[in-house]
Amino acid sequence: MSITYLDAIREAQAHALRDDPRVFIYGQDVGAFGGAFKATKNLQKEFPGRVFDSPISEDAMIGLAVGAAIEGLRPIVEMQFADFSSVAFNQIVNQAATLFWRTQVPCPITVRLPFGGTSGGGPFHSQTPETIYAHYPGLIVLTPATVEDAYSMLLEAVAIDDPVIFCEHKFLYRHLKAEKLPTEALPIGKARIAREGRDLTVVAYSAMVQDAKEAATELAAEGWEIEVVDLRSVKPLDTDTIIASVARTGKLLAVGEAWPWGGVTAEVISRVTSEGFGLLDAPPQRLNAKDTPVPYHPNLWAAHRPTVRSIAAAARKILRH
Amino acid sequence: MLQTVSESRAVGETQRAAYRCMLRARLLDDKFAALYRAGKIHGGVFLGRGQEALSAAIGVHLNKSDVFAPLIRDAAGRLAFGEPIIDAVRTYLGSALGPMRGRDGNVHRGRPQAGYLPMISHLGAMVSVVNGVLFARRLKGISGIVGVACLGEGATSTGAFHEALNQAAVEKLPLVLVIANNQFAYSTPTNRQFACADLADRAAGYGVESHSVDATEFSVCIEKLGAAIARARAGHGPQLVVATLLRLCGHGEHDDAGYIAPEMKNSPLGRDCLKVAEEFLLKKNLADAAQFAVWRSEAIREIEDAVAQAQREPAPDPYEEKWSALASEKLNELREEH
């Protein structure tokens, strides 16, 4: 039997609903329909009175979740697409993220964001807003890159006493498969070495981890050994694992699907240069999407974002330094 | 007969209690204004002058187990809901011992686990949070409670207001949404805020019941808010209360409100609800001049004691501050310090 990334997300929610009576799910079309991506398929039937369709009101969806969290419940909110979380931005960053600091009352909500580009998604169904949420104090931002992490990190997200922005990549939903669900996992805040190497560290997260691994395979044919670090969690960011990797390789490429101004890759470069400057044998580089909205046509879309080819090309440039 | 007597006494008690909260709120506000002018308060001071009758009428109809999300002009309702004066004073002065411990100030105070929600500044944003508390309690099998969210007429222009009222209607939550139409959102008059004849007309569009209140009239406030809250408590779904009044002060103490025309101030809309309440209590023999004097001196003593106490208390210490916004202890160890 094989389990997809999407199955893992559904199973994690079923597990959370089964194990914890405080958990409920709220979102557009998540009930009988099972969600736009079927991430909540049959959950309403299996857990009556625990899975609720919401009106198209992202702001009020998060507001309701915060109120329920104050009452001690653990809501999981599905945004139909991460792009629409901009409508809920105020409730996420000003209500949920500030509650504990202001009042000492925890706000354990999980906001699931189906995010990232797929061909044909266009400007409003492709965005990767992890950077914006990571910027605000009080939020945890998770970006699982594997089926196993999608499962274990979503379970952990629900258990965490803070608001979690859970970024699940739409391309990985049906593309990634595993044989079975994991029984143990790295803790939140710990990055993972997704592939070992000694010539260059490529730091990536979410779907870019798969692309970076493929690029590493391509470069292996040319004799280069590339180490790929999967951040897993964007905030907190595991600087120690990144620096330890750069200590081994002396070279760094940070890859992200998000836009280039600021963001996770800039943060990675900034930390390595300030804390590990002496470890670097070449100027560290970043590879991001282009600074335009995400385009619709596959030709434009493929050129807009980092790909296996552009990651390999950027890597070669550093390796030849 | 006996029942009638006890009922009328109970009504009298409600009105006396409401008046006392109005008086305490007015005197507390006056104290905050004086402290502001003396430079003792950091940030803004926002008064409820002219809105006390409406606000107190909400608070006196709530139980401890209810939910209350007041706004900036609700000192009277907060006191009626049970907020100790010291909580208000400590928050305005930023005391480390207050409910917000100096991390937030002035009107941004509450105790969420007691159903008393601390407002954020973004208008309309608290309504869906009240919905969430009510929704959660329903899931837990708790009934017979209500949640009140307070807004001004300006907040009715926000998307958050629309989303939350619609959400409450869809879920048939026991929400009472009180709109204090005080004619100005900061300086913006109502004809630049909305184009409908009466905000109460909007209720039908949401499928909720509505109530219109002349908020300068003390006894009307007590009666109408009591009715609206009772309807929600009895399971009739969300109630929209639209109260009409005039703000008898600036938006904050930094604002002289020169944009309010004298004709408006001198119209019936400009009546001081505190004076109207005093006249009502006198007329109904619910209090006399001596009683008013006792209540006033008690309130002044309570306020002065609270201010003196809070001023002696430690200010928050930046070296003692944890500087972490996270509740999770494990993740706190990984917090961002770069």
Side-chain angles (χ1 to χ4, degrees):
Chain A
M1 175 193 145
S2 84
I3 295 157
T4 64
Y5 185 95
L6 183 63
D7 294 335
I9 283 165
R10 189 217 171 264
E11 289 311 310
Q13 291 179 100
H15 186 149
L17 285 164
R18 198 160 43 237
D19 279 13
D20 189 342
R22 300 170 300 176
V23 174
F24 71 94
I25 297 178
Y26 189 54
Q28 295 156 27
D29 306 300
V30 298
F33 186 65
F37 296 98
K38 302 295 170 200
T40 56
K41 191 178 170 185
N42 290 332
L43 291 180
Q44 192 181 59
K45 206 161 68 185
E46 283 174 41
F47 301 94
R50 309 275 300 280
V51 182
F52 304 92
D53 284 325
S54 73
I56 304 176
S57 298
E58 288 82 4
D59 180 287
M61 284 158 61
I62 299 295
L64 182 142
V66 172
I70 287 170
E71 282 297 297
L73 301 190
R74 294 196 171 243
I76 301 172
V77 179
E78 177 181 303
M79 288 285 150
Q80 199 151 80
F81 284 79
D83 312 49
F84 305 145
S85 72
S86 58
V87 182
F89 187 66
N90 181 45
Q91 295 286 6
I92 294 172
V93 305
N94 289 311
Q95 195 88 262
T98 66
L99 184 73
F100 177 72
W101 195 76
R102 294 168 71 227
T103 67
Q104 300 291 283
V105 175
C107 185
I109 71 172
T110 299
V111 185
R112 288 185 37 238
L113 301 188
F115 92 140
T118 52
S119 175
F124 311 114
H125 292 78
S126 305
Q127 292 171 25
T128 47
E130 69 282 359
T131 287
I132 294 180
Y133 295 116
H135 187 66
Y136 277 82
L139 298 175
I140 303 295
V141 183
L142 306 182
T143 51
T146 65
V147 175
E148 290 82 358
D149 273 353
Y151 179 79
S152 62
M153 289 171 78
L154 182 49
L155 274 181
E156 197 154 359
V158 175
I160 285 174
D161 282 338
D162 292 291
V164 176
I165 305 298
F166 192 82
C167 301
E168 44 194 58
H169 204 288
K170 301 195 295 290
F171 177 71
L172 301 182
Y173 270 164
R174 293 184 173 85
H175 182 78
L176 275 191
K177 294 186 177 69
E179 282 311 305
K180 57 179 175 36
L181 292 172
T183 48
E184 53 185 24
L186 284 173
I188 295 290
K190 195 86 190 120
R192 178 177 69 98
I193 306 295
R195 179 187 172 114
E196 288 184 2
R198 61 176 187 198
D199 297 323
L200 165 70
T201 298
V202 177
V203 172
Y205 57 101
S206 191
M208 284 295 137
V209 172
Q210 307 307 321
D211 289 17
K213 280 168 69 180
E214 281 184 46
T217 305
E218 200 176 302
L219 290 161
E222 299 164 27
W224 299 110
E225 291 181 28
I226 309 298
E227 180 143 300
V228 178
V229 176
D230 170 8
L231 290 178
R232 300 175 73 245
S233 141
V234 155
K235 190 173 188 181
L237 184 62
D238 182 2
T239 313
D240 291 349
T241 297
I242 300 168
I243 299 236
S245 174
V246 173
R248 287 189 288 276
T249 64
K251 296 188 170 77
L252 171 65
L253 172 65
V255 181
E257 185 181 333
W259 289 305
W261 202 99
V264 177
T265 56
E267 186 69 28
V268 167
I269 301 284
S270 151
R271 292 187 188 199
V272 170
T273 10
S274 63
E275 293 173 39
F277 189 73
L279 304 171
L280 289 162
D281 298 331
Q285 301 295 322
R286 321 157 53 201
L287 186 64
N288 281 91
K290 294 191 193 304
D291 195 20
T292 69
V294 184
Y296 163 70
H297 193 277
N299 290 354
L300 297 177
W301 176 74
H304 177 263
R305 64 208 307 269
T307 57
V308 173
R309 220 172 131 188
S310 68
I311 295 169
R316 280 189 201 100
K317 225 168 136 184
I318 303 171
L319 289 163
R320 286 186 200 126
H321 185 83
Chain B
M1 184 67 194
L2 272 174
Q3 199 181 0
T4 314
V5 169
S6 92
E7 271 177 9
S8 89
R9 191 175 293 150
V11 168
E13 277 312 306
T14 302
Q15 287 152 330
R16 282 156 60 98
Y19 171 78
R20 290 190 68 186
C21 290
M22 293 170 64
L23 178 67
R24 288 163 78 219
R26 177 69 62 91
L27 293 168
L28 180 62
D29 274 358
D30 287 349
K31 184 67 187 180
F32 286 140
L35 289 167
Y36 175 81
R37 286 191 295 273
K40 304 278 189 195
I41 289 177
H42 307 279
V45 167
F46 304 92
L47 309 186
R49 186 174 283 265
Q51 199 169 308
E52 292 97 335
L54 173 66
S55 188
I58 297 165
V60 292
H61 288 106
L62 295 179
N63 304 321
K64 286 276 178 220
S65 55
D66 288 328
V67 186
F68 186 37
L71 212 73
I72 60 175
R73 307 194 195 287
D74 281 308
R78 290 170 187 265
L79 293 171
F81 189 56
E83 180 186 65
I85 275 183
I86 189 71
D87 272 16
V89 173
R90 280 172 166 163
T91 308
Y92 259 109
L93 294 178
S95 161
L97 304 181
M100 312 308 278
R101 297 158 304 132
R103 289 178 172 187
D104 206 343
N106 53 59
V107 291
H108 298 280
R109 60 183 193 267
R111 293 186 182 269
Q113 282 173 325
Y116 175 36
L117 303 182
M119 60 175 283
I120 67 167
S121 300
H122 304 64
L123 294 172
M126 298 311 296
V127 185
S128 59
V129 180
V130 174
N131 290 348
V133 175
L134 297 173
F135 186 83
R137 291 196 186 171
R138 178 188 288 169
L139 290 183
K140 292 197 252 181
I142 299 167
S143 60
I145 52 145
V146 297
V148 176
C150 298
L151 293 175
E153 84 285 356
T156 65
S157 309
T158 66
F161 166 85
H162 164 73
E163 288 193 11
L165 181 51
N166 179 63
Q167 180 183 55
V170 167
E171 295 294 346
K172 293 189 177 52
L173 294 171
L175 170 76
V176 181
L177 186 45
V178 180
I179 309 300
N181 178 358
N182 69 8
Q183 313 307 317
F184 293 92
Y186 204 150
S187 75
T188 303
T190 55
N191 66 349
R192 297 301 304 166
Q193 199 65 248
F194 53 85
C196 57
D198 185 340
L199 288 172
D201 294 343
R202 291 189 180 177
Y206 290 97
V208 305
E209 298 179 3
S210 76
H211 309 256
S212 297
V213 183
D214 174 356
T216 66
E217 194 58 74
F218 172 70
S219 61
V220 172
C221 285
I222 301 288
E223 181 198 327
K224 296 261 186 156
L225 267 299
I229 289 170
R231 289 287 293 169
R233 204 183 291 286
H236 298 284
Q239 308 289 311
L240 180 67
V241 177
V242 178
T244 308
L245 64 141
L246 182 66
R247 192 179 74 212
L248 304 180
C249 53
H251 168 59
E253 280 303 274
H254 56 278
D255 172 25
D256 68 4
Y259 44 81
I260 303 181
E263 303 81 64
M264 198 177 244
K265 292 182 190 168
N266 296 326
S267 75
L269 202 58
R271 288 193 302 169
D272 183 348
C273 61
L274 190 67
K275 289 207 172 65
V276 173
E278 280 169 18
E279 285 159 16
F280 177 87
L281 293 182
L282 282 170
K283 197 172 127 201
K284 296 283 181 184
N285 275 331
L286 294 170
D288 56 18
Q291 181 68 76
F292 286 136
V294 169
W295 284 340
R296 174 174 287 266
S297 64
E298 281 175 358
I300 290 172
R301 193 167 58 239
E302 188 186 5
I303 291 164
E304 293 298 335
D305 286 352
V307 171
Q309 181 185 334
Q311 284 181 327
R312 283 194 304 269
E313 287 172 355
D317 179 352
Y319 298 99
E320 293 292 317
E321 172 66 52
K322 265 176 82 181
W323 296 115
S324 169
L326 297 180
S328 317
E329 284 301 325
K330 264 192 296 185
L331 296 175
N332 261 328
E333 293 160 17
L334 305 169
R335 70 178 180 268
E336 309 294 328
E337 281 181 345
H338 299 268

